[in-house]
Amino acid sequence: MSLAKEFVIAALAWFSFRLARSPRDPAIWALVGCLVLRLLTAPSSMVALHEFTGGALDVATFRLVQTVALDASLFCLLVFFLLSAGGTRRRVALDAGLLALVCAALAVAMFVVPAASREQAFGVGAALPSVVTEPGVALFYLVDAAYGTYTTVQAASWALRDAVETPLRVRWGLRIAACGLLVLAVTSVARFGTILVRWSGGDVPSSVPDATAVLVHVGIILFMAGITLVGLLAVIAAARLWLRHRRRYEDLRPLWGHLHDVFPGDALYTGQRHGWLEELAFWRMHRRYWRRVVEIRDGLVRLSPYLADSGFVEGRERVSPEVFREALARLRSGERPTSRTAVAVARPEGADVEADVGALVTLSKTLRA
């Protein structure tokens, strides 16, 4: 198995997981479709499939199916970058119409070639015919190479446009992917030129097709490396966020525990919270974290009148452990507060939600001490 195919399989596994998480995202559907078609249209895959089917289709028809599927994979790739960069559905429809025209042109070009010449001109695999005399053969490969150039250049431009508006951790992955696409565009141009030269009766040095084949692998590897880098950095960022939420979730436990004891009705979830099954559900960490933050804020609002009666002055000081415990004692004894007006407790220094959670963590740590 080639390195390029291994990259495709790795990317397919990751984006299939992403698709399972976001089944309504058309961009991810397009990319998964591109990767599946790319695997199926790999020369080794097509040769194995042709042998497996026992030649149910003649070699020429099999090459037509391979080429159409490959062009469809390029269309899916273009749709992925187009939608990711904010392109319109109308643009997608126009490119779908262009793909339909290309497929029709490929079919017409192939079947105008005399049947006796098709098998020699259209073999299974990626190699170009060494001799091009039939106009249909030239048209087939020229249309395919032109469409490959168009889709890869357009996809690269959309990827670079998307990279400008994305975070730095994603930007470099998209740029590497765009470089891979531009390398693939160069190989399409080289195939286009090769067919033109051979059709005109000229000779192309063997080094050109060999270099083109190498560049195809380089382009695929660069593109997959860029896409994989984007996915890998997303996983790392998600893991860091999970760990931060997990740490703060535990930091908030003392404060939440005191408030939950006196206001059990504020719980947003009435199931078993501290059971080992709940703790093993790591995928629910973010939900549990935000639920705890909301429950703490609700509890502090209800406790704040008792805090005011216990000596807490809004805006002048932080809540001390002694004042907090006195307020809890007043509440448990059934004492009514002198005022039912809530006061701000653990007011954050910033305006964002992280600052708000940070203020709650600070208060919780004072209660733990």
Side-chain angles (χ1 to χ4, degrees), residues 51-135:
E51 295 176 352
F52 177 77
T53 56
L57 296 176
D58 60 83
V59 174
T61 306
F62 213 81
R63 179 58 180 264
L64 176 62
V65 173
Q66 177 190 19
T67 305
V68 169
L70 181 59
D71 289 342
S73 75
L74 293 174
F75 165 73
C76 291
L77 178 65
L78 178 58
V79 170
F80 166 72
F81 283 110
L82 194 152
L83 294 179
S84 298
T88 63
R89 299 296 178 94
R90 181 177 178 273
R91 178 61 187 272
V92 174
L94 289 175
D95 279 307
L98 177 60
L99 174 64
L101 290 176
V102 168
C103 294
L106 292 174
V108 170
M110 173 170 287
F111 290 111
V112 298
V113 177
S117 304
R118 287 178 194 164
E119 185 169 345
Q120 181 180 2
F122 305 107
V124 177
L128 298 175
S130 57
V131 179
V132 181
T133 56
E134 296 288 344

Side-chain angles (χ1 to χ4, degrees), residues 126-129 183 186-198 202-217:
L128 298 175
V183 171
V186 170
T187 65
S188 293
V189 172
R191 290 168 66 87
F192 190 95
T194 299
I195 292 297
L196 278 181
V197 171
R198 289 176 178 174
D203 187 25
V204 177
S206 60
S207 59
V208 174
D210 293 341
T212 301
V214 172
L215 285 178
V216 168
H217 286 282

Side-chain angles (χ1 to χ4, degrees), residues 154-193:
Q154 285 293 313
S157 66
W158 282 108
L160 292 174
R161 186 179 306 180
D162 192 22
V164 175
E165 302 174 357
T166 55
L168 183 61
R169 63 179 177 83
V170 178
R171 192 174 305 163
W172 281 107
L174 290 176
R175 287 175 176 172
I176 293 173
C179 289
L181 290 171
L182 292 176
V183 171
L184 292 176
V186 170
T187 65
S188 293
V189 172
R191 290 168 66 87
F192 190 95

Side-chain angles (χ1 to χ4, degrees), residues 304-364:
S304 62
Y306 295 94
L307 290 170
D309 287 349
S310 301
F312 171 72
V313 179
E314 179 182 0
R316 293 187 181 179
E317 58 182 10
R318 293 180 177 179
V319 181
S320 67
E322 295 76 15
V323 169
F324 191 88
R325 293 188 178 94
E326 182 180 345
L328 291 176
R330 289 172 180 268
L331 175 63
R332 289 192 178 100
S333 66
E335 180 180 329
R336 290 183 176 274
T338 56
S339 173
R340 291 191 174 274
T341 302
V343 296
V345 180
R347 177 179 293 176
E349 296 181 358
D352 61 330
V353 67
E354 291 299 325
D356 182 58
V357 176
L360 297 179
V361 169
T362 301
L363 174 58
S364 184

